Amino acid sequence: DAKTTQPNSMESNEEEPVHLPCNHSTISGTDYIHWYRQLPSQGPEYVIHGLTSNVNNRMASLAIAEDRKSSTLILHRATLRDAAVYYCILKTSYDKVIFGPGTSLSVIP
Amino acid sequence: EAGVAQSPRYKIIEKRQSVAFWCNPISGHATLYWYQQILGQGPKLLIQFQNNGVVDDSQLPKDRFSAERLKGVDSTLKIQPAKLEDSAVYLCASSRRDEQFFGPGTRLTVL
C-alpha cells in the first residue's frame, strides 16, 4: 500500500499561517490525498481532500505538487483550537484508508 | 444529522475476560469501519464493512477479535479473550462517499 511521511511535530504561533507537509512518493494515479485531524480525546475528523488540483474549503487549503509526490495542508490563521494531530492519507481506489503517525501541531498563544 | 454513536465510552476489564463494543453509524452510510488506536499512534484499520458484507479484515486478529454488522446498520466488535496489548481506543467510522465520520471511541483498559 502507498504510504505517506510527515514530520512528527510542528509549532505555530496563533494567528499565523501553518504549512503542514506530506510526502507520498509512491502515490498511484487513482489515489486521492486526504487530510484528517484528531483533537485531543476525540475521533479523527475530515479536513480536506484532492486529486490533482489545489482545493480550498472553510477549514483549510490543500496544495498538491505537480508530480503529486507531495502535498501541503495550509491553515491560513492558526487558532488554539487547531492544535491537533494532522494525518495525511492516501485513499486507494478500493476505499481502504491507512493512517500514519501524523504531525502533532502545537499552537503557541 | 446525528453523528456516529459508540458505547460504552470507557471499559476496564481484566486480561482473559471478554468485551464487546457497539457502533451505530450515520443513517444511510453503507460503509462502516472499526479502528484500533494505541496511545501515540495513528488509527489502525481492523475491519471494513460494505453494508453487511466484509470488505477487508486483513488486520483483524481473528483468533480473538470478531465483528458483525447485522442488517447492514449497527455493528459490534468483540474481543475474547482480551490481552494486555489490547488496551487502546476503539474507533468506529462510517462513510457514504469520500468523507469518513468518526465516533468518539471506546477507551479499553485491560489490567
Side-chain angles (χ1 to χ4, degrees):
Chain A
D1 292 335
K3 297 190 186 303
T4 63
T5 56
Q6 301 175 251
N8 290 333
S9 61
M10 291 184 64
E11 275 187 357
S12 174
N13 293 319
E14 195 176 11
E15 299 189 3
E16 295 286 324
V18 183
H19 290 234
L20 297 163
C22 180
N23 289 317
H24 28 80
S25 58
T26 58
I27 190 170
S28 70
T30 55
D31 285 334
Y32 281 77
I33 302 157
H34 287 243
W35 284 82
Y36 281 75
R37 72 178 186 180
Q38 188 171 21
L39 279 64
S41 301
Q42 296 187 25
E45 64 174 343
Y46 168 84
V47 177
I48 199 167
H49 78 281
L51 183 62
T52 56
S53 303
N54 294 343
V55 184
N56 300 295
N57 67 19
R58 63 175 179 80
M59 291 181 69
S61 296
L62 176 60
I64 301 172
E66 194 169 335
D67 63 5
R68 301 212 323 128
K69 293 185 176 181
S70 65
S71 61
T72 302
L73 179 71
I74 302 165
L75 307 179
H76 296 286
R77 286 181 72 235
T79 69
L80 297 179
R81 289 190 299 273
D82 291 322
V85 177
Y86 287 78
Y87 299 99
C88 171
I89 297 156
L90 298 184
K91 184 171 176 292
T92 70
S93 56
Y94 298 102
D95 200 34
K96 186 172 180 176
V97 173
I98 301 172
F99 285 84
T103 296
S104 179
L105 175 66
S106 301
V107 179
I108 303 168
Chain B
E1 63 184 351
V4 176
Q6 291 188 247
S7 67
R9 291 295 312 277
Y10 304 92
K11 190 73 176 179
I12 300 174
I13 62 173
E14 294 188 351
K15 61 183 179 183
R16 291 188 289 273
Q17 286 188 321
S18 302
V19 65
F21 312 126
W22 172 82
C23 173
N24 180 236
I26 293 173
S27 177
H29 284 193
T31 310
L32 184 146
Y33 314 79
W34 282 102
Y35 290 86
Q36 179 193 59
Q37 186 170 27
I38 293 171
L39 188 64
Q41 299 180 17
K44 181 181 85 170
L45 180 67
L46 293 176
I47 190 167
Q48 175 183 342
F49 291 95
Q50 182 74 19
N51 295 309
N52 60 348
V54 175
V55 173
D56 187 335
D57 64 357
S58 58
Q59 299 217 77
L60 186 74
K62 298 180 186 64
D63 58 334
R64 298 184 300 106
F65 287 63
S66 64
E68 60 181 7
R69 189 181 184 195
L70 298 176
K71 301 181 181 178
V73 183
D74 292 5
S75 178
T76 55
L77 176 70
K78 297 179 182 178
I79 307 175
Q80 180 179 5
K83 293 185 176 182
L84 297 177
E85 59 260 37
D86 298 331
S87 294
V89 175
Y90 291 84
L91 294 160
C92 179
S94 68
S95 68
R96 185 170 52 200
R97 285 190 290 271
D98 293 310
E99 182 179 346
Q100 286 191 11
F101 296 83
F102 284 80
T106 296
R107 182 176 298 278
L108 174 67
T109 302
V110 182
L111 303 176

